[in-house]
Amino acid sequence: MAIRRTVLSSLLAGAAAISLSPAFAANAAADYPSRPIRLVVPFGAGGSTDMVARLLAEKMSQILGKSVVVDNKGGAGGSIGASEIAKAAPDGYTIGMATVSTHGSNPAIFRKLPYDAIKDFAPITNVMSVPSVFVVNSSVPAKTMKEFIALAKAHPDKYTFASPGTGSLGHANIENFMNLAGIQLLHIPYKGAGQAITDALGGQVNAMTDNLPSTLPHIKDGKLRPLAVLALKRAEVLPDVPTYAELGYPQMGDGGWFGLVAPAGTPRPIIDKLNAAAHKAMAMPDYLEKQKSISGESMGNTPEEFAKQIKVAIERYTAVAKRANIKLD
C-alpha cells in the first residue's frame, strides 16, 4: 500500500510539473479558448462595472471565436465576486473584472477579506476609467468647490454626505478629500448607491460622490450640482467642472478604473492572448463610441503595468483608511 501511495504521489507530482512547464502552457494557449469563458463581475447588473464588462465581453467573443459570458456575483462591496475569481481554476476559462473597490479600497479597509488582491490574481489589462463626480443638492448655497469648502469650514459637521455604505469607495474618497481640504462633513451611510442618490436628490443629504454615468441625468435636470470630477482630465459632458487635481488635490488620484484579471497561476501565454483580444476590442469603432457615451477613457496596458496600478491603489487607500480610522471586519 505504501508503495502504491508513493507511485501515485510521484505520478501526481509529475503531472503538476508538466502542467506548469512552458511547453504545456504554450500548447494550452494554442488551443485556447476551446469553450466559453466566464467573466465574473463582482457587482450587480446595470452598474458601471457591469456596463464595461458587457461591452468588452461582446467584442472579445467576436475576436476569440468563443462566447465570453458575463456572470454577476455581487455582494459585500465586490468581495464575493472577487473571491470567486481568485478561487477559480487557473485555466483561462474564468476571468473577472477588477475595480478600484475590489483591488484598492477593499484590501485597505477590510481586515478579513476572503482574497489577497495581489497574490491571488494575475492581472491581464486595465480597460477603462470612468469619472466619479462630487455633487451637492441644488439647495446648497455653493456654486463651486471653493465655496463649498468655505461653507464646510464655517460650519463643521453641518453638511452631510451620502455613501453606498461604510467602507465603500465613495466613503473612502470623501474621507480622503475631507482630510486634504481640512473640512469635516457628517457621513450618512446607506445600503447601496440607489437610496443614497434618492436622498441626495431629495435634499435629505447635502452631497455625495458617484460614478458620472449614473449621476449625469440628475445633473442635467438641475437637481444635483457638480463641483469636481475625479478623473485624469475634465469630462467632455461637464467641460466647466474641474478635476480634483486642478483644484489643488492631486492626492485624490485619477478616478475609478475597470480591468481584467485571472486567477493566479493562469499560464502567461493565455494571459497574453486575453490581453491581445481585449486591446483589439478596445480599438473597435463601435466600442469606442459606446465608451464615449459613458464618459469612459481607455486605459489598456500590459499585465505588469496593471499590477503596478493595483499596488498604487492599495497604497493610496491604505493611507486614507489609516488617517480616517476606517477598518471593517
Side-chain angles (χ1 to χ4, degrees), residues 152-316:
K153 284 185 175 180
H155 307 283
D157 283 327
K158 174 183 176 180
Y159 290 95
T160 55
F161 78 90
S163 83
T166 299
S168 65
L169 182 62
H171 178 202
N173 279 337
I174 294 190
E175 289 284 358
N176 192 21
F177 179 63
M178 286 195 296
N179 176 72
L180 294 170
I183 61 174
Q184 186 59 47
L185 309 175
L186 183 62
H187 178 213
I188 310 295
Y190 289 84
K191 292 182 178 179
Q195 188 58 47
I197 291 177
T198 298
D199 280 8
L201 289 169
Q204 284 85 359
V205 288
N206 302 122
M208 69 174 295
T209 186
D210 196 17
N211 287 326
L212 179 55
S214 55
T215 314
L216 188 59
H218 310 300
I219 293 172
K220 287 183 174 179
D221 67 19
K223 293 180 180 178
L224 297 176
R225 183 181 304 122
L227 302 185
V229 290
L230 184 56
L232 291 167
K233 61 182 183 180
R234 294 192 184 199
E236 286 188 21
V237 292
L238 298 175
D240 297 326
V241 181
T243 65
Y244 281 98
E246 287 179 294
L247 292 169
Y249 307 105
Q251 304 94 323
M252 285 291 291
D254 51 16
W257 44 250
F258 308 89
L260 283 178
V261 292
T266 301
R268 180 60 188 245
I270 289 178
I271 295 294
D272 290 341
K273 200 164 191 176
L274 288 165
N275 179 282
H279 281 244
K280 190 173 181 180
M282 287 185 271
M284 297 173 80
D286 51 345
Y287 176 97
L288 292 170
E289 185 178 337
K290 291 179 181 177
Q291 175 179 268
K292 185 176 180 180
S293 73
I294 59 172
S295 301
E297 291 284 340
S298 294
M299 289 194 76
N301 55 12
T302 67
E304 290 76 18
E305 289 167 340
F306 190 25
K308 288 179 182 178
Q309 288 176 325
I310 291 171
K311 186 173 182 290
V312 167
I314 293 172
E315 289 173 349
R316 176 184 298 119

Side-chain angles (χ1 to χ4, degrees), residues 52-67:
V52 175
R54 290 182 186 278
L55 175 57
L56 191 66
E58 177 189 350
K59 303 306 175 189
M60 288 183 67
S61 296
Q62 298 171 15
I63 294 162
L64 293 169
K66 294 293 179 182
S67 297

